[in-house]
Amino acid sequence: MSQDFYKSLIENNKEWVKNKLDLDPEFFQKLSKGQSPPLLWIGCADSRVPANEIIGAQPGEVFVHRNIANMVLHTDMNMLSVLDYAVNVLKVKHVIVCGHYGCGGVKAAMGNQSIGLIDNWVRHIKDVYRLHKDELDAINDEDKRFDKFVELNVKEQVFDLAKTSIVQNAWNVGQDLSLHGWVYGLSTGIVNDLGVTVENDSQLDTVYQLNF
């Protein structure tokens, strides 16, 4: 069964190429000449949240970084390298941090069960819970508390993103760069814009106060 699935991937690729060439015979030739995406997407690694597909974007329109629970860590050289390339080379105009309701990483951070190596990553998410413990503990309904935790985690990642030297330097030289926080609904397919758009350093305190 697994071999059948694997073989289907190759066939699916051939069909995808055919469909693209039917619409535009020069599609791949044009795509191979370079990329200038207007957007960097920092999302969760969850297989149910494909960045391009849920926003109707084409190949070449979204630069993507994904990890468990869409975290922005100042010690994560992978994320920082992607961010640096997106901001300083590709000159993206927007960076979206997109979480999703039902996130397994966020759920794990709500409990104390050991999962394995991922415990070290989840520790950073637990820090978000600690920052908002009073608000979260006041929510009796566990599902609603979970949803709120997902939203708060995204918001915190947006503000951590704004504090990176990469984003700060871009703003200091007047680069057009906006940061946004979204949460995607697995059961609806709808994106929830959390209203944490930050376009320059002077907005940080105001936006933070409005959202927390």
Side-chain angles (χ1 to χ4, degrees), residues 77-107:
M77 292 305 296
N78 187 352
M79 184 280 298
L80 291 173
S81 297
V82 170
L83 178 64
D84 183 63
Y85 190 79
V87 171
N88 293 318
V89 178
L90 298 177
K91 304 294 183 182
V92 298
K93 304 293 185 184
H94 301 274
V95 182
I96 294 174
V97 178
C98 185
H100 65 95
Y101 296 114
C103 179
V106 173
K107 183 69 171 178

Side-chain angles (χ1 to χ4, degrees), residues 109-175:
M110 293 179 71
N112 295 309
Q113 182 179 357
S114 177
I115 303 172
L117 182 64
I118 193 178
D119 293 347
N120 300 282
W121 189 263
V122 170
R123 170 54 53 191
H124 298 288
I125 313 172
K126 284 181 177 287
D127 288 341
V128 175
Y129 197 105
R130 179 176 52 80
L131 286 171
H132 301 280
K133 188 176 187 302
D134 291 344
E135 179 182 358
L136 290 167
D137 286 352
I139 303 173
N140 294 322
D141 185 293
E142 187 173 347
D143 290 335
K144 291 181 179 178
R145 189 188 315 128
F146 185 14
D147 287 348
K148 176 58 71 171
F149 189 14
V150 167
E151 293 171 358
L152 290 171
N153 183 55
V154 168
K155 290 179 181 181
E156 287 291 351
Q157 304 320 306
V158 171
F159 291 109
D160 284 344
L161 182 64
K163 294 169 190 171
T164 62
S165 59
I166 297 164
V167 171
Q168 288 284 314
N169 290 339
W171 283 338
N172 286 339
V173 298
Q175 191 167 329

Side-chain angles (χ1 to χ4, degrees), residues 101 183-192:
Y101 296 114
V183 178
Y184 174 72
L186 294 175
S187 63
T188 64
I190 300 297
V191 162
N192 177 16

Side-chain angles (χ1 to χ4, degrees), residues 159 162 167-168 171-172 177 179 197-210:
F159 291 109
V167 171
Q168 288 284 314
W171 283 338
N172 286 339
L177 182 64
L179 315 180
T197 294
V198 188
E199 297 176 331
N200 54 66
D201 194 49
S202 63
Q203 283 186 321
L204 268 176
D205 288 340
T206 301
V207 175
Y208 191 89
Q209 289 169 6
L210 288 172

Side-chain angles (χ1 to χ4, degrees), residues 39 41-44 46-59 61-62 64 66 70 96-101 182-193:
L39 166 66
W41 176 283
I42 299 177
C44 183
D46 193 294
S47 62
R48 299 166 293 179
V49 194
N52 285 59
E53 191 169 346
I54 66 175
I55 57 173
Q58 296 298 313
E61 293 181 339
V62 186
V64 178
R66 297 170 72 176
N70 41 270
I96 294 174
V97 178
C98 185
H100 65 95
Y101 296 114
W182 290 4
V183 178
Y184 174 72
L186 294 175
S187 63
T188 64
I190 300 297
V191 162
N192 177 16
D193 185 341

